[in-house]
Amino acid sequence: MKHLEDTPWFICNAEDNNYCAYVDTDSNYFNAEPILKHLYPDFETLNDKEKDDKLENVALAYQDIITDHYNQLAKECFNIPTHRLEMKTECVIRSAYFRNTRRYAQWITKQEGVEKETLDIKGLEFMKANFPPILGKFFNKILQQALKGGEYLSILSQIKDFKKRILDGDISIEQLGNPTAVKKLDKYTSKKARAGEVFTTIEKGAPAPVRAAIKYNDLLRLWKLDKQYNYITQASKIKWIYLKDNPYKIEALGFIEGGMPSKIKKFLDQYADRKKVFETILLNKLEGFFNDLDWSLNLNPHLDKFASFEI
């Protein structure tokens, strides 16, 4: 298990094992596997429900031990004879992934003594509003499989297949665009295109979504589509995507989902940089996830062929 940060000396001596996996406000998460294997040598042979029951029993025992120690804490540290401090078992977690503070996923199988099957996910990058939903849904599926003991090679194969679907065009551009609300269009519009000019002059430092939105408006005007279709305006909800080299040298283009001219859709289908979408949005998140699991993420489709090659 990788720890999010080094354990301070006043919490645990360097030569001791720290079994606290994560701390969040008033909750403490402990890796109970070592003590479970010590108390129950046949622990690995038990079924999942039996393991959960054993884990809950250990947690309940330790909550009472810690609560008893609060008596000493109250007297020696706070100089009070009575207190309301109490340690309480919150839930039994079969597996969990802690990425950073308030960024985690946990597979809860018991909560306050009640059996349940809940995947509790907080703060992970794929949940953000500007993450393409289809990519977030895929990452969520991979995360769930990893938490529930999915095979590494199976998960890797699914990622390769999903990458191929993106690159081959099986997934539409509309689904791959970054969702966002455009702000400060006027601030970064230096000079609008006049007669004989193609593109608006954009101020330096303009965010990529703003630049993409302005370019969309310019194309509407250039292709005389502005009488049929609305411009992207301040606070419009749009999607945007990076482009490959194209005749207009546009680096990224915005669009309004469900209201896009067919000519712009054709332009996007031809020049959208699907490879960059995969690498800049999904791949770097997967690399971080795989690194945390001590897994290797090699998406070379010919790797298996090399591995089986004989001379």
Side-chain angles (χ1 to χ4, degrees):
M1 177 185 293
K2 288 189 174 182
H3 290 283
L4 297 180
E5 57 186 29
D6 293 334
T7 306
W9 64 267
F10 52 84
I11 297 294
C12 181
N13 293 326
E15 64 274 11
D16 293 335
N17 290 322
N18 176 25
Y19 297 110
C20 183
Y22 180 69
V23 176
D24 185 3
T25 315
D26 59 350
S27 297
N28 294 268
Y29 298 78
F30 290 92
N31 174 22
E33 189 177 51
I35 193 169
L36 287 167
K37 288 183 175 180
H38 173 75
L39 293 173
Y40 310 103
D42 62 340
F43 183 75
E44 291 296 347
T45 66
L46 303 178
N47 61 44
D48 288 337
K49 185 180 184 307
E50 290 172 330
K51 289 180 179 179
D52 291 342
D53 291 340
K54 298 292 187 187
L55 173 55
E56 185 179 39
N57 290 336
V58 168
L60 290 173
Y62 270 88
Q63 79 171 22
D64 294 338
I65 293 172
I66 295 172
T67 297
D68 288 342
H69 276 281
Y70 281 154
N71 296 327
Q72 180 181 354
L73 176 71
K75 186 178 296 183
E76 295 183 1
C77 295
F78 305 133
N79 194 30
I80 54 176
T82 60
H83 62 86
R84 298 180 183 178
L85 300 175
E86 180 185 13
M87 181 61 71
K88 186 177 181 182
T89 298
E90 185 177 339
C91 58
V92 171
I93 303 170
R94 192 168 295 169
S95 61
Y97 167 63
F98 297 103
R99 174 66 174 164
N100 210 326
T101 304
R102 293 184 177 82
R103 294 183 183 181
Y104 59 80
Q106 49 187 359
W107 180 18
I108 299 173
T109 54
K110 276 191 175 186
Q111 192 153 17
E112 297 182 351
V114 179
E115 292 186 11
K116 62 187 304 182
E117 286 279 339
T118 302
L119 190 66
D120 179 33
I121 305 176
K122 294 286 191 300
L124 294 180
E125 289 88 342
F126 74 86
M127 302 176 67
K128 293 182 178 179
N130 63 351
F131 203 89
I134 192 168
L135 303 186
K137 183 178 179 181
F138 177 76
F139 193 105
N140 185 47
K141 183 179 77 169
I142 294 301
L143 173 64
Q144 289 195 42
Q145 291 181 35
L147 285 175
K148 296 185 177 183
E151 293 290 333
Y152 161 72
L153 291 178
S154 171
I155 292 174
L156 188 63
S157 176
Q158 292 175 62
I159 295 173
K160 290 179 180 179
D161 291 342
F162 190 68
K163 177 185 178 182
K164 187 174 185 301
R165 288 180 59 206
I166 292 175
L167 299 185
D168 290 351
D170 294 341
I171 299 175
S172 70
I173 292 301
E174 290 90 338
Q175 291 176 292
L176 295 176
N178 295 278
T180 188
V182 180
K183 299 177 181 179
K184 302 180 181 179
L185 272 179
D186 294 338
K187 175 181 177 180
Y188 292 106
T189 300
S190 177
K191 183 179 68 172
K192 291 187 177 181
R194 295 177 293 185
E197 297 178 336
V198 177
F199 293 116
T200 298
T201 303
I202 303 174
E203 294 283 359
K204 290 183 179 181
V210 171
R211 302 177 72 89
I214 293 174
K215 295 298 183 184
Y216 173 86
N217 290 342
D218 286 340
L219 287 184
L220 281 187
R221 191 180 305 107
L222 174 66
W223 291 339
K224 295 180 171 55
L225 299 169
D226 52 322
K227 304 299 182 184
Q228 301 169 264
Y229 296 91
N230 294 326
Y231 286 121
I232 293 174
T233 58
Q234 190 79 2
S236 291
K237 292 184 178 180
I238 70 166
K239 290 187 174 181
W240 66 278
I241 197 166
Y242 286 111
L243 302 183
K244 298 180 288 188
D245 187 38
N246 58 83
Y248 299 103
K249 303 301 179 183
I250 299 174
E251 296 179 354
L253 190 66
F255 58 90
I256 301 173
E257 190 174 17
M260 179 171 33
S262 58
K263 188 169 184 177
I264 287 185
K265 185 178 186 307
K266 184 178 179 181
F267 182 78
L268 283 171
D269 286 337
Q270 184 174 358
Y271 293 110
D273 196 337
R274 291 173 170 271
K275 184 172 183 287
K276 191 169 184 177
V277 168
F278 176 79
E279 291 179 348
T280 60
I281 302 176
L282 184 60
L283 181 59
N284 61 351
K285 306 297 186 298
L286 289 171
E287 286 175 337
F289 180 53
F290 269 54
N291 182 61
D292 291 338
L293 298 180
D294 284 330
W295 285 359
S296 171
L297 183 59
N298 191 323
L299 300 182
N300 183 345
H302 306 295
L303 185 63
D304 295 337
K305 297 178 183 178
F306 292 145
S308 61
F309 183 79
E310 294 184 3
I311 299 179

